[in-house]
Amino acid sequence: MSNVDLGVRFCGKELRNPFLLAASPSTDNKEMIARSFDIGWAGAVLKTTSLISEEVSIAYPIMSSLQQGHRMIGLHNIDLISERHIDQIANDVVWLKNRFPEQHVIVSIVGNTHQDWIDLVKISEQAGADLIEVSISCPQGAMLEGEEAQGWIISQDPKLTEKVTRWACEATTHVPILVKLSSNVTDIKSIASAVERGGAQGITAIDSPEGVVGVDLDNLSPLPSVQGFSSRGGFTGRAIKPITLRCIADIAQATTIPVSGVGGIYDWQDAVQFMLLGSTTLQVCTSVMHRGFGIIDDLCDGMTRWLEQKGYSSPMDIVGLSLKRLLEHDGLPHGIKVYSQIDQETCIHCGLCYVACRDGGHQAIKFYPNRTAQVVEKKCVGCGLCAQVCPVPGCVVIK
């Protein structure tokens, strides 16, 4: 029997575990969400919705991907917000809360005017939403009507971010407000601080970075091709994890409100890393779309085992623990000699370390006719490139 309790406290709410479904096609159908709740997800952020006056028309297909061999490492989409408006979403909230009172239903909203935000918040609150996520960062989004901003996404401008955050917070009587931020900014710390000044109880980070995933070399259309044309869209999946971790750490260091991390969580190791750098809850999107709701078992089991092994009783014990180890470059230990070491017993003699060091490093590896690789210690500076290209885990280490 494990002594670990995966429950977390977030924005005044008690969740059975830190794992939430992020706003996505997976959360645009109440029956789909119900299936996820049945197997253990703590909550779901419903796909971003708008007022009925907002016309939403989606061009298909909406998805393409970044592949490494036959392995999808990133998903690109030109999807917009839900075609289902706030009245329908509100009905879903009522339906879900009646059946799953312990799980958390989070409504994601986007508006164009002050009154839009007020109406969206009030409808969500009246329907029984546990939290409201203010989406001001979608790469397919738009500016406020009549406003001038530094960028074309609201969350690229700290003044507009604070203004819209305050509008949402003043419109609710008791439902906590989260604000979802983009990495497409010069200084995410200043944007996060604006959210806190605006009165939000939490921050979601990050929304999908804007991108173009590729071009079809036959018809010359950017991907995904919609009758030979495409547009910029959001990039998600394991490939954006480094960007997300940096943003979460920056936000956690700049504010005192909790962070819900999203963008690049594929397994329990990713989830633990997100928490160590400041996330309290964890939103999962692309991994679910890739492998299904059932990954919740592995996420919970892996996190539980790691916490138990390390002597922690709760995920809350590890939130932000690694932040004190994330320093500016000048603060790192300098002048300590390290170099590569190759385990000859596990080496498969592929020569990748030699080629990488020869053409991208310090020419510190010899490769003999019998395909044996050997480090020349006096030339090696310990940059670590050889260890990164080696296909055998643990064969090359830096000491």
Side-chain angles (χ1 to χ4, degrees):
M1 183 70 177
S2 174
N3 293 321
V4 173
D5 179 0
L6 286 184
V8 297
R9 185 172 179 81
F10 181 72
C11 295
K13 304 289 184 177
E14 301 290 341
L15 284 71
R16 62 174 58 185
N17 62 59
F19 298 107
L20 306 168
L21 294 174
S24 68
S26 298
T27 61
D28 203 25
N29 177 290
K30 63 180 185 291
E31 286 83 10
M32 290 172 68
I33 297 171
R35 281 196 287 110
S36 77
F37 285 177
D38 277 331
I39 61 175
W41 290 85
V45 184
L46 309 192
K47 189 176 181 182
T48 306
T49 189
S50 57
L51 292 174
I52 196 168
S53 57
E54 180 77 16
E55 182 179 349
V56 181
S57 178
I58 300 174
Y60 292 93
I62 60 174
M63 296 184 189
S64 189
S65 64
L66 185 65
Q67 300 279 337
Q68 186 178 60
H70 295 292
R71 182 188 186 206
M72 186 179 79
I73 61 173
L75 186 66
H76 176 78
N77 77 87
I78 57 171
D79 195 8
L80 299 175
I81 61 177
S82 177
E83 294 178 288
R84 303 172 65 248
H85 293 97
I86 187 63
D87 56 330
Q88 295 171 285
I89 298 299
N91 289 334
D92 287 357
V93 174
V94 173
W95 189 89
L96 287 166
K97 290 305 297 182
N98 283 339
R99 287 161 177 76
F100 301 94
E102 300 302 316
Q103 264 99 339
H104 288 68
V105 180
I106 304 168
V107 178
S108 176
I109 58 173
V110 62
N112 290 316
T113 68
H114 186 183
Q115 192 60 49
D116 286 354
W117 290 104
I118 291 174
D119 293 344
L120 287 162
V121 168
K122 288 190 176 298
I123 294 170
S124 302
E125 183 177 67
Q126 290 166 4
D130 294 290
L131 298 101
I132 297 171
E133 186 174 271
V134 172
S135 183
I136 57 173
S137 54
C138 178
Q140 301 94 325
M143 283 171 45
L144 289 174
E145 289 184 2
E147 297 281 359
E148 293 184 1
Q150 296 172 6
W152 66 284
I153 301 173
I154 294 171
S155 68
Q156 290 176 323
D157 185 320
K159 292 182 179 178
L160 284 185
T161 295
E162 183 176 349
K163 178 185 287 188
V164 173
T165 300
R166 185 167 285 110
W167 287 348
C169 292
E170 290 175 350
T172 181
T173 61
H174 63 277
V175 179
I177 297 294
L178 306 176
V179 178
K180 193 169 188 178
L181 298 185
S182 170
S183 62
N184 297 326
V185 297
T186 303
D187 178 17
I188 200 167
K189 290 184 178 182
S190 66
I191 307 296
S193 296
V195 170
E196 187 168 25
R197 289 195 304 271
Q201 284 76 38
I203 291 173
T204 299
I206 56 175
D207 210 329
S208 51
E210 184 185 21
V212 177
V213 76
V215 177
D216 186 316
L217 297 184
D218 290 324
N219 67 14
L220 309 187
S221 170
L223 299 172
S225 179
V226 181
Q227 303 301 312
F229 301 90
S230 194
S231 67
R232 296 173 181 83
F235 188 58
T236 65
R238 65 173 86 232
I240 72 167
K241 174 185 166 185
I243 300 171
T244 307
L245 288 177
R246 187 268 299 173
C247 289
I248 288 169
D250 283 350
I251 293 167
Q253 291 171 329
T255 67
T256 61
I257 54 179
V259 180
S260 186
V262 58
I265 299 173
Y266 249 70
D267 52 37
W268 68 264
Q269 291 98 329
D270 295 330
V272 169
Q273 291 168 35
F274 271 54
M275 299 196 85
L276 287 168
L277 285 175
S279 290
T280 301
T281 59
L282 306 157
Q283 296 186 25
V284 186
C285 172
T286 305
S287 183
V288 165
M289 295 173 68
H290 190 180
R291 299 184 294 170
F293 294 135
I295 65 169
I296 188 63
D297 291 336
D298 290 336
L299 291 172
C300 289
D301 182 65
M303 180 174 285
T304 297
R305 290 174 182 272
W306 184 87
L307 289 169
E308 195 167 44
Q309 178 188 4
K310 297 296 183 180
Y312 300 110
S313 60
S314 166
M316 297 298 291
D317 296 338
I318 68 167
V319 174
L321 277 187
S322 292
L323 288 174
K324 61 186 177 183
R325 296 175 179 268
L326 187 64
L327 309 177
E328 297 298 327
H329 190 271
D330 289 347
L332 296 175
H334 289 256
I336 300 173
K337 173 65 177 175
V338 295
Y339 59 89
S340 300
Q341 298 180 35
I342 301 172
D343 183 351
Q344 298 299 334
E345 291 187 4
T346 59
C347 177
I348 61 173
H349 312 292
C350 64
L352 286 176
C353 61
Y354 163 71
V355 172
C357 187
R358 181 194 66 190
D359 297 345
H362 294 78
Q363 301 85 54
I365 296 178
K366 288 185 177 180
F367 197 56
Y368 295 99
N370 65 354
R371 302 191 68 81
T372 297
Q374 183 178 10
V375 176
V376 181
E377 291 184 16
K378 65 180 181 180
K379 287 188 175 182
C380 180
V381 301
C383 72
L385 176 61
C386 55
Q388 302 311 309
V389 302
C390 179
V392 181
C395 178
V396 182
V397 296
I398 312 298
K399 291 185 178 180

